[in-house]
Amino acid sequence: MTIASKTPTSRLPDVVGAEHVSSDPAELSAYATDGKLPSAIVRPGSTEEVIEIVKYAATEKLALIAIGARTKLGIGLPPARYDIALDMTRLSRIIAYDPGDLTLSVEAGVPLRKVAEALAEHRQFLPLSVPFFDRATVGGTIASGVDTPLRQFYGTARDYVLGMEFVLGEGVRSKSGGNVVKNVTGYDLHKLMIGSLGTLGVITRVNFKTFPMPVASRGFVATFENLDRAMEMRNRVVQSALNPMTFDLLSPRAADLFSSPAADRLTKSPMPAGVVSRGHWALTIGYSGNENVLSRYEAELRRMAAESSAADVVVLGDGAPAATFAFKREFIPIALESSPATTIVKISVLSARLKDALIAAIKAADANQLPWAVMARSLGVIYFALLPAEHSQASNRQVVTATNQILDASVSLGANVTIPWCPSEWKTALKIWGPERSDLPQMQKVKKVFDPLGIFSPGRFIGGI
């Protein structure tokens, strides 16, 4: 571990109180980011305190990383500097919620679980069902840009974040958007914060559009002996009038991952029988509606499965869809605990090129003798997990070669490739953010405007931003 050099952090207790500042080595180790430790942890309790901390960091030229539940600190490049861990978990209030207007405003440190429970009392929900759900906070989820199986129907956070409050690099409070569904005032600057890993500002408050819970839901799983047949049914569904809530493809090795101790711990419920099996690809579909709609979905999907030569089909009801959804939601953390050196490649490709991208990734993994598992969203997002048997130099070379091959093949398909998760020590050898980007100069200009002194998570984003 690399500990940040001693920094002038003595004024921090004056801002938040001594009890909310720590330099204890044991605590600092829990905030390590790719082997680097901060000099201090500070826990603000309000936006005003965040502003004062940022102003102080800017004056002293201290680098800070805004942190929630620490579930996604592994995403991105190692920070170039790391002086202050800005723990946002004290900002955990639900500020305003209007069920009739379908709007919600929360502080950045509020846990997703707390939000879900509050909305459920009014039979509403937020489609932020992301990995590490039971621990994740709103701010960290938005800053990381991680998606969910519900993306198929509800889109990403960009589609239902109505507005945001955030603090810029000179300690200026900024607001963008609003807290109503129909809002056409100003620029959507807050959307730049989504997926920026905290490199542009510190998110303090987020306004959302909420959604009614479905009247009833079902799950449909069709298993296939090979990828070709699974993709045949996938294409039939895409070309039909059906509009499922979730629509994901799981590789055969998912059965091993989903029967692991990690899966038991993260999902808290067993996988329903017949959903995944060794030796078969599984096409999993979630849908909702009244009884007539549910019956139509089942009839149509059974017909398509038969026409695509499915090995088996399972219809999930009575809570089983939610259990299956939890496994898909937690695919990433389950995969991360299934190998000593799990490396997850994210491939975003046009829906029409999904099969080509899958074949290219599988070919690269097999050529380098690497075990793999995949979860692919039908709309064109692939999470391809490489699962080396050991954490070694030999495995590192295999993974570097395989990911470079995936990158080369994906670029020819017009895909975007990143490596959100891998061992920290391997990041210098891997192309974490994919190939060089032509829009990097524009991104650097945005960074300079939002964070002129470069104090927010320096070095973690694309091009070392």
Side-chain angles (χ1 to χ4, degrees):
M1 293 282 185
T2 301
I3 302 178
S5 57
K6 287 193 175 181
T7 55
T9 57
S10 58
R11 276 195 54 212
L12 294 176
D14 296 336
V15 178
V16 300
E19 68 273 24
H20 300 305
V21 179
S22 175
S23 296
D24 178 72
E27 280 199 78
L28 294 179
S29 64
Y31 289 78
T33 302
D34 288 327
K36 292 193 175 184
L37 301 181
S39 294
I41 304 160
V42 58
R43 301 178 177 91
S46 67
T47 298
E48 289 70 27
E49 290 182 355
V50 173
I51 290 170
E52 291 304 312
I53 293 165
V54 171
K55 285 181 178 179
Y56 179 67
T59 300
E60 299 293 340
K61 295 181 173 58
L62 303 177
L64 60 84
I65 296 178
I67 292 171
R70 308 190 296 277
T71 58
K72 303 173 186 70
L73 279 178
I75 299 176
L77 292 166
R81 297 180 294 124
Y82 184 17
D83 300 308
I84 299 173
L86 187 65
D87 186 326
M88 300 291 289
T89 54
R90 286 182 63 213
L91 279 79
S92 60
R93 293 181 304 146
I94 295 177
I95 299 169
Y97 173 38
D98 187 337
D101 243 359
L102 297 175
T103 56
L104 170 75
S105 182
V106 299
E107 290 183 319
V110 67
L112 290 177
R113 176 63 69 183
K114 178 179 177 180
V115 173
E117 290 171 353
L119 297 184
E121 292 179 4
H122 298 273
R123 290 201 53 77
Q124 293 181 8
F125 77 107
L126 198 60
L128 277 180
S129 298
V130 298
F132 308 97
F133 181 77
D134 282 335
R135 295 169 51 202
T137 62
V138 165
T141 298
I142 296 300
S144 68
V146 176
D147 74 350
T148 100
L150 291 170
R151 177 178 184 168
Q152 175 71 30
F153 188 84
Y154 294 96
T156 65
R158 293 175 61 86
D159 298 295
Y160 43 85
V161 169
L162 301 176
M164 201 179 292
E165 176 188 83
F166 47 92
V167 178
L168 301 177
E170 293 178 304
V172 176
R173 185 200 307 251
S174 181
K175 294 181 180 181
S176 172
N179 57 1
V180 294
V181 175
K182 292 185 178 180
N183 180 45
V184 293
T185 304
Y187 297 102
D188 287 340
L189 292 180
H190 59 279
K191 291 186 177 180
L192 291 172
M193 307 296 290
I194 301 173
S196 66
L197 291 186
T199 56
L200 298 179
V202 179
I203 299 170
T204 54
R205 175 173 176 172
V206 187
N207 303 328
F208 292 102
K209 171 187 176 182
T210 62
F211 297 84
M213 285 186 177
V215 176
S217 62
R218 295 287 185 274
F220 185 94
V221 181
T223 54
F224 301 87
E225 294 180 354
N226 54 52
L227 175 61
D228 288 340
R229 290 179 177 175
M231 287 301 299
E232 182 182 341
M233 178 171 175
R234 176 261 181 187
N235 293 340
R236 291 179 189 274
V237 177
V238 168
Q239 293 163 11
S240 75
L242 301 182
N243 189 19
M245 295 177 64
T246 66
F247 192 5
D248 303 286
L249 180 66
L250 297 168
S251 67
R253 194 178 293 272
D256 294 324
L257 269 60
F258 291 166
S259 61
S260 67
D264 292 340
R265 185 175 66 260
L266 288 162
T267 62
K268 298 182 173 63
S269 58
M271 171 65 82
V275 174
V276 291
S277 62
R278 295 174 179 86
H280 288 86
W281 288 82
L283 199 62
T284 66
I285 301 170
Y287 51 96
S288 64
N290 58 35
E291 286 302 321
N292 289 335
V293 172
L294 297 179
S295 297
R296 179 196 167 196
Y297 261 94
E298 181 177 343
E300 288 290 301
L301 292 172
R302 283 187 180 277
R303 177 182 59 78
M304 294 178 197
E307 292 172 348
S308 305
S309 302
D312 194 13
V313 298
V314 177
V315 177
L316 303 171
D318 299 325
T324 304
F325 177 86
F327 282 85
K328 295 196 294 182
R329 183 193 68 208
E330 302 297 337
F331 174 85
I332 288 170
I334 291 171
L336 289 173
E337 295 194 30
S338 298
S339 161
T342 300
T343 299
I344 296 180
V345 182
K346 181 183 178 182
I347 307 168
S348 302
V349 67
L350 289 174
S351 175
R353 308 305 297 272
L354 179 63
K355 181 180 176 181
D356 296 331
L358 281 169
I359 290 173
I362 293 168
K363 182 178 179 181
D366 289 345
N368 289 279
Q369 300 180 318
L370 286 167
W372 53 271
V374 64
M375 178 178 67
R377 310 219 192 285
S378 174
L379 46 70
V381 178
I382 301 168
Y383 289 97
F384 196 87
L386 296 169
L387 305 166
E390 57 185 13
H391 187 302
S392 65
Q393 289 185 348
S395 294
N396 177 229
R397 288 192 293 270
Q398 289 174 299
V399 169
V400 169
T401 301
T403 54
N404 284 340
Q405 290 172 351
I406 293 172
L407 179 61
D408 291 342
S410 297
V411 167
S412 68
L413 296 172
N416 179 58
V417 180
T418 60
I419 304 175
W421 285 275
C422 70
S424 297
E425 314 82 57
W426 293 6
K427 290 190 174 184
T428 55
L430 295 171
K431 296 177 181 178
I432 298 298
W433 290 111
E436 294 184 8
R437 297 175 56 127
S438 60
D439 59 352
L440 180 59
Q442 285 72 34
M443 298 173 74
Q444 291 170 329
K445 289 178 182 177
V446 172
K447 170 71 171 177
K448 194 69 175 177
V449 171
F450 279 64
D451 181 24
L453 298 176
I455 64 171
F456 291 143
S457 300
R460 295 183 69 202
F461 202 55
I462 298 168
I465 290 177

